[in-house]
């Protein structure tokens, strides 16, 4: 009995460690003080300021469109890849898979900087295309893990049956494979969307001057004196992330933890 | 048909090739050039390995990552064990609570620690009220703050991997062990712990390796005291414009990452099969 209470207290403490600073941040967004200091006095001023702050709103728009493009491209590339890779010989398949998973183990700092050097090497200016490419590369492994998890649970006999009953490959794909993997495509898309939306490192190194995303704005306001407007926007970001998580969770169910626990 | 399918891997492979592999080779090439002239040189690497500053820095980066890994492990194992063996309906809720931070922005999380730990901040007030600490703590902009921030960022992954290993563990093995007269401690050390080692090893990999390459948490939470390899690389590129030297340090970091991955993998192989 006492043991069980101790265990519950332990779980509670770790959860508290995980959430306390985030909750404090959210609460301070509703606090009148400019310096995030106590005592607490309720105010919506920072949200009002935020709604006037075109710089932050623009950054949010950039983050959104960049993440949208990244999500769509990642789903397309990941789907094509996992459907195609099985037809390769075992050795080539393994090699191709580890190449695609590579960005998961290399620090984003190195990925971002090496792309920066590439841009300089081919003597071009930084542009949004490179930023998107960088985001795609780092988000792709996650989209692939989600699709892979789903594809494993499909019985290959279904496809074979369809083919042997005379359905052309394209019809088989459209009627059998696609409906089976469609939920994972949506989930993978949202996952890549989120990774791109939250990414700081790649954007920070590759963004052309004058354009920024939300994480970049947060970083620069930390650097040059922060305002509670950042708390307000952070709270909104957390809200958006939770919404995306809920969608991915609904689609993927319990297998989400397999994706996170996969290889990083 | 088979050949058709093979073509489908090409777009993805092409993106990876041109945006990840080629850039790494270009970076390698940059690291062997000096800022002033052209031609092959080893001076960037020799500069790194002959200055005590950079060697101390490397050591500090490794020690930081080790600390984060060990503390995360000590924090995670009991939690994963309780989740797998003692929490029944609650464990799914705890799992969701652990996964959520993965989907919260890295900078938002770092920023939240900045507010939480600052002088006169909520943590200090709390400690003062509880009478545990008197006055200013000066916790922000220290190595401790960096380590707290990194543990916060990485330990949930470790909990999840260990939990998955423990959940696979068959309860009948535990019963068998106690039937055969083993005490709870013996059962834990002879059955539970060895069987969960693959999860522990994956956890170490997921925490230690990315820790080596961090630069955001050390910069924001550690200030000047937070200098690690990652922040020095960032400085080389954005403050000093020593791109060639920066590229060399980046490669040394990459080598550290690859070596530790190989070492951890080797460790993991001992527990397979």
């Amino acid at each position: 009995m006492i043991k069980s209470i101790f265990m519950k207290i332990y779980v509670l403490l770790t959860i508290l460690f995980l959430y306390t600073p985030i909750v404090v941040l959210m609460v301070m967004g509703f606090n009148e003080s400019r310096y995030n200091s106590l005592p607490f006095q309720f105010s919506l001023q920072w949200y009002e300021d935020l709604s006037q702050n075109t710089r932050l709103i623009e950054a949010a728009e950039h983050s959104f469109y960049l993440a949208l493009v990244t999500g769509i491209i990642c789903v397309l590339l990941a789907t094509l890849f996992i459907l195609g890779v099985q037809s390769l010989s075992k050795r080539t398949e393994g090699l191709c898979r580890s190449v695609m998973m590579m960005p998961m183990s290399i620090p984003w700092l190195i990925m971002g900087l090496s792309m920066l050097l590439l841009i300089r090497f081919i003597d071009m200016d930084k542009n949004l295309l490179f930023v998107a490419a960088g985001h795609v590369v780092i988000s792709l492994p996650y989209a692939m893990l989600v699709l892979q998890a789903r594809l494993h649970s499909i019985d290959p006999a279904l496809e074979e049956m369809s083919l042997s009953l005379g359905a052309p490959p394209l019809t088989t794909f459209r009627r059998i494979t696609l409906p089976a993997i469609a939920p994972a495509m949506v989930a993978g898309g949202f996952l890549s969307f989120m990774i791109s939306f939250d990414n700081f490192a790649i954007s920070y190194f590759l963004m052309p001057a004058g354009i920024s995303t939300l994480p970049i704005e947060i970083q620069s306001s930390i650097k040059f004196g922060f305002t509670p407007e950042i708390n307000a926007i952070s709270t909104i970001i957390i809200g958006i992330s939770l919404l995306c998580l809920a969608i991915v969770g609904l689609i993927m169910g319990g297998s989400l933890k397999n994706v996170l626990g996969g290889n990083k | 048909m088979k050949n058709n399918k093979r073509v489908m891997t090409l777009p993805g492979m092409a993106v990876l090739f041109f945006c990840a592999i080629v850039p790494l080779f270009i970076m390698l090439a940059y690291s062997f050039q000096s800022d002033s002239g052209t031609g092959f040189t080893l001076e960037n690497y020799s500069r790194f390995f002959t200055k005590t500053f950079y060697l101390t820095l490397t050591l500090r980066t490794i020690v930081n990552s080790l600390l984060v890994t060990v503390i995360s492990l000590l924090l995670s194992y009991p939690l994963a064990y309780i989740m797998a063996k003692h929490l029944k309906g609650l464990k799914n809720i705890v799992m969701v609570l652990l996964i959520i931070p993965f989907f919260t922005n890295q900078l938002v999380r770092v920023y939240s620690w900045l507010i939480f730990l600052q002088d006169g901040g909520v943590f200090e007030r709390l400690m003062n009220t509880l009478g545990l600490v008197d006055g200013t703590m000066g916790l922000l902009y220290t190595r401790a703050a960096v380590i707290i921030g990194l543990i916060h960022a990485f330990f949930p992954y470790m909990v999840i991997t260990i939990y998955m290993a423990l959940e696979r563990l068959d309860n009948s093995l535990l019963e068998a062990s106690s039937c055969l007269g083993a005490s709870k401690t013996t059962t834990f050390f002879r059955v539970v712990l060895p069987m969960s080692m693959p999860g522990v090893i994956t956890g170490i990999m997921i925490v230690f390796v990315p820790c080596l390459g961090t630069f955001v948490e050390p910069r924001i939470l550690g200030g000047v005291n937070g200098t690690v390899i990652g922040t020095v690389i960032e400085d080389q590129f954005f403050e000093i414009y020593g791109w060639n030297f920066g590229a060399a340090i980046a490669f040394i970091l990459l080598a550290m990452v690859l070596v530790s991955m190989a070492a951890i993998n080797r460790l993991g192989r001992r527990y397979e099969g």
Side-chain angles (χ1 to χ4, degrees):
Chain A
M1 186 60 199
I2 292 175
K3 210 173 125 195
S4 136
I5 291 171
F6 264 118
M7 285 179 175
K8 289 203 172 112
I9 290 175
Y10 185 80
V11 174
L12 198 68
L13 284 177
T14 43
I15 300 293
L16 269 180
F17 167 65
L18 212 49
Y19 284 90
T20 308
I22 298 174
V23 171
V24 168
L25 166 113
M26 290 166 122
V27 171
M28 286 303 178
F30 295 103
N31 187 10
E32 208 176 5
S33 159
R34 162 163 289 274
Y35 304 102
N36 293 307
S37 59
L38 295 167
F40 180 81
Q41 272 185 308
F42 184 81
S43 151
L44 281 176
Q45 193 197 336
W46 309 115
Y47 282 87
E48 273 167 38
D49 285 7
L50 180 66
S51 65
Q52 309 289 318
N53 190 329
T54 45
R55 204 183 148 78
L56 277 179
I57 293 169
E58 243 174 62
E61 280 170 8
H62 294 148
S63 288
F64 178 80
Y65 289 123
L66 190 60
L68 193 65
V69 171
T70 304
I72 292 169
I73 297 176
C74 279
V75 170
L76 292 177
L77 291 180
T79 309
L80 282 174
F81 182 82
I82 65 147
L83 290 177
V85 77
Q86 294 154 320
S87 61
L88 297 167
S89 69
K90 270 280 162 280
R91 257 188 81 180
T92 333
E93 183 185 339
L95 186 73
C96 289
R97 278 183 197 278
S98 35
V99 168
M100 296 294 274
M101 287 298 164
M102 188 188 79
M104 254 185 163
S105 41
I106 296 178
W108 288 352
L109 169 75
I110 295 179
M111 299 289 298
L113 288 174
S114 63
M115 275 195 74
L116 180 66
L117 289 175
L118 170 84
I119 296 170
R120 190 192 224 197
F121 184 76
I122 56 178
D123 207 16
M124 281 180 70
D125 288 326
K126 288 182 185 178
N127 66 46
L128 286 174
L129 210 66
F130 288 120
V131 188
H135 279 223
V136 167
V137 167
I138 58 151
S139 314
L140 201 51
Y142 294 90
M144 283 187 27
L145 282 176
V146 173
L147 276 158
Q148 192 60 53
R150 178 78 197 176
L151 204 63
H152 266 313
S153 62
I154 302 173
D155 190 351
L158 279 175
E159 277 188 30
E160 285 159 26
M161 249 191 284
S162 164
L163 289 170
S164 66
L165 287 172
L170 210 61
T171 313
T172 302
F173 175 75
R174 199 164 48 83
R175 305 280 298 264
I176 306 284
T177 319
L178 191 62
I181 60 169
M185 288 171 73
V186 177
F190 270 104
L191 197 58
S192 326
F193 176 92
M194 247 177 297
I195 289 165
S196 164
F197 193 83
D198 285 349
N199 179 275
F200 168 70
I202 303 287
S203 310
Y204 177 57
F205 297 131
L206 301 181
M207 268 295 178
I211 305 180
S212 70
T213 60
L214 274 182
I216 294 179
E217 282 298 321
I218 297 177
Q219 191 257 3
S220 71
S221 74
I222 291 172
K223 217 168 166 181
F224 302 109
F226 42 92
T227 69
E229 276 170 69
I230 297 297
N231 298 36
I233 194 100
S234 299
T235 306
I236 294 172
I237 295 176
I238 294 170
I240 295 172
S241 304
L242 283 181
L243 196 69
C244 291
L245 175 63
I247 295 168
V248 177
L250 277 178
I251 298 168
M252 292 301 288
S255 60
L256 191 62
K257 62 175 188 282
N258 297 323
V259 173
L260 300 183
N263 59 41
K264 159 94 198 178
Chain B
M1 181 61 200
K2 255 197 151 179
N3 281 325
N4 279 343
K5 278 199 156 185
R6 222 173 274 180
V7 176
M8 291 167 25
T9 61
L10 285 181
M13 292 299 284
V15 170
L16 250 291
F17 183 74
F18 288 110
C19 302
I21 297 170
V22 168
L24 285 178
F25 278 99
I26 289 173
M27 189 176 231
L28 188 63
Y30 265 89
S31 75
F32 285 114
Q33 295 209 326
S34 75
D35 289 336
S36 48
T38 46
F40 178 87
T41 173
L42 282 171
E43 73 181 42
N44 298 316
Y45 288 93
S46 67
R47 186 167 146 204
F48 187 92
F49 286 110
T50 50
K51 286 211 172 147
T52 42
F53 171 74
Y54 295 112
L55 297 178
T56 326
L57 195 79
T58 309
L59 191 68
R60 189 193 293 171
T61 309
I62 295 172
V63 171
N64 276 4
S65 306
L66 276 176
L67 275 173
V68 173
T69 310
V70 171
I71 299 172
S72 296
L73 187 59
L74 294 177
L75 205 62
S76 305
Y77 204 99
L79 182 59
Y81 188 80
I82 296 170
M83 280 170 71
K85 300 294 168 209
H86 293 278
L87 294 182
K88 290 176 186 76
L90 276 174
K91 70 179 169 196
N92 289 325
I93 299 170
V94 177
M95 179 60 81
V96 171
L97 287 175
L98 287 169
I99 291 176
I100 287 173
F102 178 82
F103 296 95
T104 33
N105 192 294
Q106 177 198 19
L107 273 159
V108 170
R109 272 195 275 171
V110 182
Y111 175 64
S112 74
W113 278 104
L114 183 80
I115 291 174
F116 190 63
L117 295 178
Q118 70 182 345
D119 289 344
V122 174
F123 186 62
E124 199 176 284
R125 287 285 187 105
L126 191 72
M127 286 293 149
N128 286 342
T129 317
L130 291 175
L132 292 173
V133 179
D134 208 21
T136 327
M137 293 177 79
L139 194 54
L140 190 62
Y141 307 126
T142 62
R143 249 176 105 175
V146 176
I147 288 169
I148 293 173
L150 289 174
I151 293 171
H152 187 248
F154 291 120
F155 97 92
Y157 301 117
M158 203 177 232
V159 181
I160 292 168
T161 55
I162 298 175
Y163 166 78
M164 279 165 35
L166 284 172
E167 213 190 25
R168 272 195 293 269
L169 178 70
D170 193 344
N171 277 332
S172 58
L173 283 173
L174 303 186
E175 283 159 26
S177 173
S178 72
C179 281
L180 291 169
S183 69
K184 284 204 161 156
T185 329
T186 317
T187 306
F188 179 78
F189 283 106
R190 302 282 296 269
V191 181
V192 179
L193 192 61
M195 299 282 285
S196 64
M197 273 323 262
V200 172
I201 304 275
T202 315
I204 293 174
M205 177 88 87
I206 290 179
V207 175
F208 184 78
V209 174
C211 257
L212 291 173
T214 51
F215 68 103
V216 179
E217 290 88 351
R219 170 83 74 206
I220 294 173
L221 296 174
V224 277
N225 299 313
T227 312
V228 286
I229 291 193
T231 55
V232 168
I233 296 173
E234 189 203 339
D235 280 342
Q236 284 297 327
F237 275 85
F238 290 90
E239 305 288 334
I240 305 163
Y241 296 98
W243 286 32
N244 296 309
F245 185 48
I249 311 178
F251 251 90
I252 292 163
L253 173 61
L254 185 60
M256 282 164 61
V257 165
L258 295 178
V259 167
S260 36
M261 278 172 69
I264 299 168
N265 261 330
R266 229 186 128 109
L267 200 68
R269 227 169 288 147
R270 284 175 43 191
Y271 292 94
E272 271 172 21

